[in-house]
Amino acid sequence: MFDVAVIGQGPAGGMAALRLAEAGHSVVAFDRKKRVGDPIHCGEGLGKIALEHTNYPVGDWAIREVKGNRIRMPNGKAVGLMSPGYSIHRWGLDSKISDDAVAAGTERHEGIKISKVTKENGHWGLFAKDGEVAKARQLVIAEGRIPNIVKQVGLKGNDKLRLLPGLQYKFKTCDVDFPDNDYFDFYIDPMYADGYVWVFPRDGIFNVGIVATNGAKSGLEYFCREQMNVDPEKRILNDLGDKQNGGLIPRDGPIPQFSTKDAYVVGDSAGLTNPITKGGVHVGMLSGEYAAIAIGNELGSGKLVPPSHAINHHELRGQYWENCGEALHPDLESHVWYDRILKRQPWTKQKFVDQSKLIYSLDKRVLNLIGEIYNGRNYSDLPWLKMFAVLIKNPDLAPLAGKLLKIKASLKITETYGW
Ligand SMILES: Cc1cc2nc3c(=O)[nH]c(=O)nc-3n(C[C@H](O)[C@H](O)[C@H](O)COP(=O)(O)OP(=O)(O)OC[C@H]3O[C@@H](n4cnc5c(N)ncnc54)[C@H](O)[C@@H]3O)c2cc1C
């Protein structure tokens, strides 16, 4: 009997396994992939702040530093989102976190898909196609975007129909007509419905990808041809030998309840992706860490307090940890604490999810006017006079002011939790 079973070894499940094994618990982890991290489902961008929030060290999976993000409007003008980050080898990050968990004592099984979980006599049984593979007191569900196990423990998963498809190609920088600089660029345009095209610079390579509900392949290939002057067939293989990579992203915000007695849902399984960038590695790792705290308390190795690196982070300290009072009382049941602490995070609030969608509802003309107003400035540095001048010239756009402020509020949260 293990203390904890973790289903899935993406960043969320890897982080939960790592922290629980470090705390001395017996942990068993499963991933249906033959090799953790392979294939890649990612644009491979990560904010530095993700590592600060989880106290996880940068490694050789980080291949290039970037200064921040630029949201490019159809007219090419940009709004900045200047939180620095890295272009990463995503398979490298996933396998490193999971290997660290193994080094800390986790028993890992790759190539095993858990098809069923049951709870009997107060413990979980995990089943694969050939029968039971483990028993455990506590369960972490880190199965990613498609909810199978989540539903078996009585919680509501993401709606499969509301997943956003993504696709990515890689090009050598010398093969494309595009400036190589230290920014992640996002191209927002209604022609990429509900999403955007990204260009992430790497080591002599660009990652060029898209999320969109109206045809990812056609949108991406249009961008390659029209904006980068390159035939999509010139794309190169990634490190794992694949000619493209992609996947599905939860797009509707978090599931209604993150935990039930002895079972904790983390990462994409819990719908924890940023609705603007669609990034989910950072918040996946964070949720894995919080699940480990809650489970540690349940198993008697720790208390229900957020980790000191989270408390010491000014953004969190000021807004969320002080004056929590009864809402996060250390005598709460562990799974209730986990559910509540996630619901206190700014990135799980419905208001944030709703505000984040606004940017994708604007038409080309409005997006271009926002580009005119900001013209390269950071999102936080809204030039009010310029905004009023634009509104006077375009009186039909008066509602734009209110929308712009809401979008600005959603970008503030994205700056801290976007990747
Ligand atoms: C095209 C694309 C681009 C993206 N770009 C970025 C980006 O640049 N930056 C960013 O931060 N995020 C990005 N994301 C989102 C990010 O990849 C996810 O949010 C992140 O992987 C979530 O981590 P996770 O651990 O919750 O889930 P996952 O990484 O999906 O891991 C889940 C794991 O569970 C395993 N599994 C599933 N079911 C079972 C089972 N029944 N039994 C055993 N194992 C199982 C899977 O094999 C998988 O390894 C992107 C996503 C896509 C699709």
Side-chain angles (χ1 to χ4, degrees), residues 219-372:
L220 179 58
E221 299 207 342
Y222 173 86
F223 186 90
C224 293
R225 288 203 176 87
E226 298 301 316
Q227 305 270 341
M228 304 188 88
N229 223 350
V230 65
D231 182 345
E233 289 308 314
K234 271 207 124 172
R235 66 189 185 270
I236 57 167
L237 301 183
N238 69 22
D239 302 339
L240 303 178
D242 298 318
K243 213 171 174 199
Q244 60 193 50
N245 68 274
L248 298 167
I249 304 177
R251 57 184 277 219
D252 273 344
I255 60 175
Q257 194 184 324
F258 297 115
S259 47
T260 183
K261 178 104 183 96
D262 304 328
Y264 298 79
V265 190
V266 297
D268 273 17
S269 305
L272 301 178
T273 47
N274 179 293
I276 292 195
T277 63
K278 331 291 182 194
V281 172
H282 173 185
V283 289
M285 289 169 73
L286 260 181
S287 61
E289 177 141 33
Y290 289 130
I293 292 168
I295 292 171
N297 177 70
E298 190 68 24
L299 296 172
S301 71
K303 292 199 167 70
L304 290 178
V305 285
S308 55
H309 47 267
I311 296 174
N312 290 336
H313 192 273
H314 65 94
E315 184 79 16
L316 294 168
R317 187 184 63 225
Q319 292 174 32
Y320 305 107
W321 307 127
E322 289 174 358
N323 307 318
C324 283
E326 291 302 305
L328 290 174
H329 196 278
D331 292 339
L332 282 174
E333 281 191 277
S334 306
H335 68 279
V336 176
W337 181 88
Y338 176 73
D339 187 61
R340 287 196 188 170
I341 204 157
L342 284 196
K343 284 178 178 157
R344 289 185 80 88
Q345 309 286 327
W347 37 278
T348 63
K349 304 257 189 253
Q350 191 58 45
K351 186 174 162 200
F352 167 57
V353 175
D354 294 344
Q355 287 180 340
S356 299
K357 286 182 179 162
L358 284 176
I359 197 162
Y360 297 110
S361 69
L362 302 176
D363 65 27
K364 204 166 181 157
R365 175 172 165 237
V366 173
L367 288 170
N368 284 341
L369 285 173
I370 293 176
E372 290 291 340

Side-chain angles (χ1 to χ4, degrees), residues 8 11-12 31-32 41-45 90 114 142-143 267-268 279-281 419:
D31 202 295
R32 68 178 176 190
H41 303 288
C42 196
E44 303 182 290
R90 175 61 198 275
I114 302 301
E143 62 183 338
D268 273 17
V281 172
W419 298 108

Side-chain angles (χ1 to χ4, degrees), residues 68-87:
N69 311 281
R70 293 182 304 201
I71 303 169
R72 294 208 170 264
M73 302 305 172
N75 59 6
K77 306 229 166 170
V79 181
L81 189 64
M82 289 306 150
S83 48
Y86 301 102
S87 267

Side-chain angles (χ1 to χ4, degrees), residues 14-302:
M15 185 55 83
L18 170 61
R19 295 300 184 225
L20 284 159
E22 281 174 344
H25 298 294
S26 59
V27 181
V28 64
F30 295 92
D31 202 295
R32 68 178 176 190
K33 292 179 177 171
K34 289 204 180 76
R35 192 161 60 132
V36 166
D38 178 6
I40 301 164
H41 303 288
C42 196
E44 303 182 290
L46 184 71
K48 285 189 175 176
I49 209 163
L51 304 177
E52 287 169 29
H53 281 168
T54 53
N55 202 25
Y56 192 74
V58 66
D60 54 13
W61 42 265
I63 55 175
R64 178 161 170 179
E65 286 193 47
V66 295
K67 294 179 183 148
N69 311 281
R70 293 182 304 201
I71 303 169
R72 294 208 170 264
M73 302 305 172
N75 59 6
K77 306 229 166 170
V79 181
L81 189 64
M82 289 306 150
S83 48
Y86 301 102
S87 267
I88 65 171
H89 286 303
R90 175 61 198 275
W91 57 265
L93 173 66
D94 288 16
S95 57
K96 177 74 174 111
I97 299 173
S98 184
D99 288 353
D100 287 350
V102 170
T106 297
E107 181 180 313
R108 180 179 63 198
H109 299 273
E110 289 160 292
I112 293 187
K113 179 182 175 185
I114 302 301
S115 49
K116 190 173 86 172
V117 297
T118 57
K119 196 175 190 190
E120 274 171 37
N121 304 323
H123 62 253
W124 296 102
L126 280 77
F127 296 81
K129 68 175 181 348
D130 294 330
E132 193 173 39
V133 287
K135 288 187 196 304
R137 293 182 181 85
Q138 301 285 315
L139 186 65
V140 177
I141 303 168
E143 62 183 338
R145 62 219 174 271
I146 311 276
N148 290 319
I149 307 297
V150 173
K151 291 180 182 162
Q152 294 182 30
V153 305
L155 296 172
K156 189 176 179 306
N158 292 303
D159 187 340
K160 277 189 197 172
L161 297 173
R162 300 283 296 167
L163 293 167
L164 189 58
L167 179 67
Q168 177 172 272
Y169 296 165
K170 282 180 194 281
F171 295 97
K172 285 189 188 155
T173 45
C174 58
D175 284 343
V176 300
D177 179 12
F178 208 78
D180 183 5
N181 52 45
D182 292 325
Y183 293 96
F184 288 158
D185 277 322
F186 300 87
Y187 291 82
I188 297 208
D189 190 308
M191 68 181 296
Y192 316 123
D194 302 307
Y196 61 89
V197 167
W198 69 83
V199 182
F200 291 177
R202 297 166 74 80
D203 44 355
I205 289 172
F206 282 120
N207 275 6
V208 189
I210 186 171
V211 278
T213 50
N214 62 337
K217 186 169 191 284
S218 56
L220 179 58
E221 299 207 342
Y222 173 86
F223 186 90
C224 293
R225 288 203 176 87
E226 298 301 316
Q227 305 270 341
M228 304 188 88
N229 223 350
V230 65
D231 182 345
E233 289 308 314
K234 271 207 124 172
R235 66 189 185 270
I236 57 167
L237 301 183
N238 69 22
D239 302 339
L240 303 178
D242 298 318
K243 213 171 174 199
Q244 60 193 50
N245 68 274
L248 298 167
I249 304 177
R251 57 184 277 219
D252 273 344
I255 60 175
Q257 194 184 324
F258 297 115
S259 47
T260 183
K261 178 104 183 96
D262 304 328
Y264 298 79
V265 190
V266 297
D268 273 17
S269 305
L272 301 178
T273 47
N274 179 293
I276 292 195
T277 63
K278 331 291 182 194
V281 172
H282 173 185
V283 289
M285 289 169 73
L286 260 181
S287 61
E289 177 141 33
Y290 289 130
I293 292 168
I295 292 171
N297 177 70
E298 190 68 24
L299 296 172
S301 71

Side-chain angles (χ1 to χ4, degrees), residues 71 73 77-81 359 367-384 386-387 390 404-405 407-409 411:
I71 303 169
M73 302 305 172
K77 306 229 166 170
V79 181
L81 189 64
I359 197 162
L367 288 170
N368 284 341
L369 285 173
I370 293 176
E372 290 291 340
I373 292 169
Y374 274 100
N375 200 13
R377 285 187 174 79
N378 200 44
Y379 81 93
S380 52
D381 181 20
L382 176 63
W384 293 91
K386 207 161 169 196
M387 182 173 89
V390 167
L404 205 50
L405 293 180
I407 292 171
K408 192 165 164 267
L411 290 176

